[in-house]
């Protein structure tokens, strides 16, 4: 079980910044990119996933959540006509990750399937300046005393300290940089899905794990402050509510609470639409809720698109 982001921050020696970084916000606000021209397509994609894709009265989440994701990615790919380097991306599914590190005197490991991973030929440039990175020295990490910060974590015997970037980053693989992780919480039964707070913690742990494994491939295993930080993004959704995250690994020196910290920007709980009404609701022969999608949020779609474009535009 992944508890909250606060615990994940301690485990990964990370300072949280609310909202998306200026680099991503700048893409959203750039009228020249024509993102709003794709809004109608995004609305159509939502309606297709939620209303038209099935003969059932209402499609199940395990069907519409992956379909919505695939179609949103398709819209993003349309931008590669304008930006050819976007075609130098690869979606890897069922990618395994393992990363081991020490925090205080505790050996920690994140491992498992890290969602759907979009890889790129080129890394995302650092989003925080040298000054902002240096300023993290002053940040004091929250402690949970008298509760151990590792509460709820599964304890296992580690016979081998694994640091494995999975099949995705073998020598010579051209798409060798992790770009964005996608987590689809598509279980139909609510209790089988991660709650938003748990999902954000999972997103942070796996973004960190991928960044740490990549940093070790690039810079070796010795703990150090990175000359060139590693940036990995993460997007989580249940098919309606979206979580957006940009993680920047500034240091692999994780044992102590002192010194430079890593950084994460999180934009939480963004609805893409408010309601999908598959059949109209009728009361006393009057349609009280017409069939269709209501409350479409174009900004949520633009955030998805901006994270996709980040590092290229």
């Amino acid at each position: 079980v992944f508890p909250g982001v606060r615990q994940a921050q301690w485990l990964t020696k990370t300072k949280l910044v609310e909202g998306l970084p200026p680099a991503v916000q700048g893409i959203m606000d750039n009228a020249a990119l024509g993102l709003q021209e794709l809004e109608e397509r995004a609305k159509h994609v939502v309606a297709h996933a939620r209303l038209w894709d099935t003969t059932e009265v209402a499609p199940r989440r395990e069907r519409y959540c992956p379909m919505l994701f695939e179609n949103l990615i398709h819209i993003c790919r349309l931008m590669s006509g304008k930006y050819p380097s976007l075609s130098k991306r690869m979606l890897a599914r069922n990618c395994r990750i393992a990363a081991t590190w020490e925090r205080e005197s505790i050996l920690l490991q994140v491992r498992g399937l890290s969602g759907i991973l979009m890889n790129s030929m080129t890394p995302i440039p650092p989003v925080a300046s040298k000054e902002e990175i240096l300023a993290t020295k002053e940040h004091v990490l929250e402690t949970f005393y008298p509760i151990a910060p590792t509460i709820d974590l599964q304890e296992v015997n580690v016979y081998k300290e694994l640091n494995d970037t999975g099949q995705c980053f073998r020598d010579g693989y051209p798409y060798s940089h992790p770009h964005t992780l996608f987590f689809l919480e598509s279980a139909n039964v609510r209790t089988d899905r991660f709650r938003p707070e748990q999902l954000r913690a999972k997103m942070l742990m796996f973004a960190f794990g991928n960044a740490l494994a990549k940093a070790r491939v690039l810079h070796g295993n010795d703990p150090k402050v990175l000359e060139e930080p590693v940036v990995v993004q993460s997007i989580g959704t249940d098919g309606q509510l979206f979580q957006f995250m940009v993680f920047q690994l500034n240091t692999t020196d994780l044992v102590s609470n002192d010194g430079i910290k890593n950084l994460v920007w999180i934009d939480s709980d963004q609805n893409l639409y408010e309601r999908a009404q598959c059949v109209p609701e009728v009361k006393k022969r009057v349609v009280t809720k017409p069939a269709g999608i209501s409350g479409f949020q174009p900004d949520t779609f633009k955030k998805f698109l901006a994270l996709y474009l980040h590092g290229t535009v």
Side-chain angles (χ1 to χ4, degrees):
V1 175
F2 282 96
V5 169
R6 287 162 56 215
Q7 182 181 17
Q9 281 177 253
W10 187 91
L11 295 170
T12 60
K13 195 176 176 177
T14 298
K15 178 187 176 184
L16 169 68
V17 184
E18 295 283 352
L20 291 171
V24 175
Q25 199 63 49
I27 297 170
M28 285 179 62
D29 300 339
N30 186 345
L33 293 176
L35 304 194
Q36 58 277 16
E37 292 160 27
L38 298 173
E39 275 175 33
E40 279 308 310
R41 280 182 185 268
K43 242 186 243 185
H44 182 83
V45 153
V46 173
H48 180 256
R50 292 301 314 258
L51 307 176
W52 306 332
D53 176 55
T54 178
T55 51
E56 294 177 55
V57 173
R60 294 159 70 81
R61 192 181 300 267
E62 60 208 23
R63 183 176 177 93
Y64 72 71
C65 180
M67 167 159 279
L68 179 67
F69 164 73
E70 297 294 345
N71 291 339
L72 286 174
I73 287 287
H74 177 70
I75 295 176
C76 292
R77 286 191 180 124
L78 296 175
M79 297 292 280
S80 57
K82 205 184 266 191
Y83 302 100
S85 58
L86 285 174
S87 59
K88 296 173 180 172
R89 301 269 183 87
M90 182 64 72
L91 275 186
R93 294 161 199 275
N94 300 327
C95 225
R96 290 203 162 271
I97 183 74
T100 308
W101 70 103
E102 204 175 323
R103 204 64 186 85
E104 294 191 337
S105 57
I106 309 156
L107 191 64
L108 298 163
Q109 188 176 70
V110 59
R111 68 176 180 202
L113 290 172
S114 56
I116 299 165
L117 175 59
M118 183 167 72
N119 304 308
S120 173
M121 279 186 162
T122 52
I124 301 173
V127 283
S129 66
K130 293 264 194 290
E131 292 73 31
E132 287 171 286
I133 294 167
L134 278 173
T136 63
K137 280 186 176 180
E138 307 304 316
H139 179 69
V140 178
L141 291 163
E142 182 181 6
T143 59
F144 302 92
Y145 185 81
I147 300 166
T150 51
I151 191 169
D152 296 339
L153 297 190
Q154 186 184 353
E155 212 169 306
V156 292
N157 291 321
V158 176
Y159 301 107
K160 190 178 176 196
E161 288 187 29
L162 281 176
N163 284 290
D164 183 14
T165 52
Q167 294 298 326
C168 306
F169 307 115
R170 292 282 174 255
D171 284 353
Y173 182 67
Y175 310 96
S176 63
H177 297 278
H179 187 284
T180 305
L181 289 158
F182 299 95
F183 292 96
L184 308 184
E185 282 298 305
S186 54
N188 236 33
V189 181
R190 184 183 288 274
T191 49
D192 292 343
R193 296 196 298 272
F194 275 24
R195 294 191 306 276
E197 174 67 11
Q198 291 173 311
L199 177 58
R200 289 190 292 272
K202 179 181 177 180
M203 287 163 63
L204 174 50
M205 294 305 296
F206 276 96
F208 166 81
N210 275 274
L212 183 62
K214 182 62 187 173
R216 290 192 171 139
V217 169
L218 292 170
H219 308 293
N221 288 334
D222 292 341
K224 59 167 81 72
V225 173
L226 302 176
E227 272 298 304
E228 192 67 15
V230 178
V231 176
V232 178
Q233 303 179 146
S234 198
I235 297 175
T237 184
D238 63 1
Q240 180 176 7
L241 192 68
F242 281 73
Q243 317 292 336
F244 300 104
M245 183 177 293
V246 179
F247 177 81
Q248 179 166 308
L249 185 77
N250 298 318
T251 180
T252 58
D253 186 359
L254 303 162
V255 176
S256 85
N257 288 326
D258 302 330
I260 282 173
K261 318 294 186 297
N262 298 309
L263 283 162
V264 68
W265 291 258
I266 301 181
D267 196 7
S268 306
D269 298 338
Q270 303 295 306
N271 265 327
L272 181 59
Y273 54 94
E274 273 161 31
R275 195 175 68 247
Q277 194 75 24
C278 296
V279 290
E281 192 176 283
V282 181
K283 285 182 182 168
K284 296 180 181 173
R285 296 189 189 174
V286 175
V287 175
T288 50
K289 287 179 186 170
I293 302 297
S294 58
F296 178 74
Q297 305 288 333
D299 269 6
T300 303
F301 163 66
K302 281 186 194 162
K303 286 169 186 174
F304 187 97
L305 190 49
L307 285 181
Y308 185 90
L309 296 173
H310 188 204
T312 295
V313 174

